[in-house]
Amino acid sequence: MATEVGTRREQILATAAELFAARGFHGVSVADLGAACGISGPALYKHFPSKDAVLAEMLVSISEELLRVGRERVAAAPDARAALVALVEWHVDFAVTHRPLIVVQDRDWESLPDDARERVRSLQREYVDLWAAQVRGLYDDPPLGLERARAMAHVAFGLINSTPHSGLLPDDELAGLLREMALRALGPGLEPHP
């Protein structure tokens, strides 16, 4: 039974991401979301206490996943250069395969309940600092300041997170272009894995 509930929750989150991306958080009612999931709007409350809770879980969980996998990639890398390549590959893959979540994160951020917004902010700061530490590892002569490294990470995120608006290329070609451009933005001589 727990698997069924978990599966239904995942279905609701995935459907909500699609709907919120297409119409905005405020443009989707609980009845709309329920109908898209094949259940009544009120039946949604068996899985989530509110539409706000759906948005909160969606955005907190993606922030947790980005940070968790990012840390794993860094821990497995032999040096800062390899870590940055691994981080870029991870973030590009996430952005290309989860376009609706990127749109929702960008557009509906302000609709998050305060506690969820603070949690997402905290996770995002940790994620930025994870990237910034690797960027700083590339620049030792002269050393790169933390604020500049954070800014460089944000530049790379902006580039990669443009994915929902860059649908002019097939996914694999777009992913390759995003990897190449993000790596060039982050440092000299960075090359994606073959």
Side-chain angles (χ1 to χ4, degrees):
M1 187 72 159
T3 305
E4 201 174 295
V5 171
T7 301
R8 177 61 82 175
R9 283 178 71 83
E10 291 166 11
Q11 178 202 14
I12 292 167
L13 288 168
T15 302
E18 293 283 341
L19 290 174
F20 294 168
R23 296 192 269 177
F25 176 73
H26 295 293
V28 177
S29 69
V30 169
D32 295 334
L33 184 51
C37 292
I39 58 177
S40 71
L44 226 67
Y45 296 120
K46 288 177 14 184
H47 306 281
F48 293 94
S50 66
K51 188 174 77 162
D52 289 352
V54 172
L55 181 64
E57 183 167 326
M58 180 188 305
L59 296 185
V60 168
S61 67
I62 65 169
S63 296
E64 289 171 343
E65 182 180 2
L66 284 167
L67 181 59
R68 178 184 54 76
V69 175
R71 285 176 173 159
E72 290 170 2
R73 297 282 177 108
V74 168
D79 56 29
R81 186 171 305 279
L84 270 174
V85 170
L87 285 170
V88 166
E89 287 179 350
W90 157 237
H91 200 104
V92 166
D93 181 59
F94 184 91
V96 168
T97 58
H98 296 91
R99 284 183 174 120
L101 291 175
I102 301 296
V103 172
V104 173
Q105 167 69 35
D106 183 50
R107 187 183 55 214
D108 294 316
W109 163 259
E110 289 299 321
S111 298
L112 272 173
D114 291 342
D115 58 335
R117 190 175 319 121
E118 279 310 307
R119 177 72 178 138
V120 169
R121 238 186 225 132
S122 173
L123 290 163
Q124 287 177 341
R125 277 192 295 268
E126 289 182 62
Y127 190 57
V128 168
D129 284 345
L130 180 70
W131 280 61
Q134 306 319 305
V135 172
R136 292 181 81 193
L138 295 181
Y139 296 86
D140 55 354
D141 189 24
L144 187 66
L146 179 58
E147 289 308 313
R148 186 166 181 88
R150 284 177 175 152
M152 291 170 73
H154 280 290
V155 166
F157 297 155
L159 213 163
I160 296 168
N161 290 342
S162 71
T163 311
H165 315 289
S166 306
L168 303 175
L169 297 173
D171 284 356
D172 59 339
E173 195 175 332
L174 177 61
L177 179 63
L178 289 170
R179 275 193 299 273
E180 178 185 339
M181 293 182 74
L183 288 168
R184 285 183 182 176
L186 289 168
L190 283 173
E191 298 293 332
H193 292 307

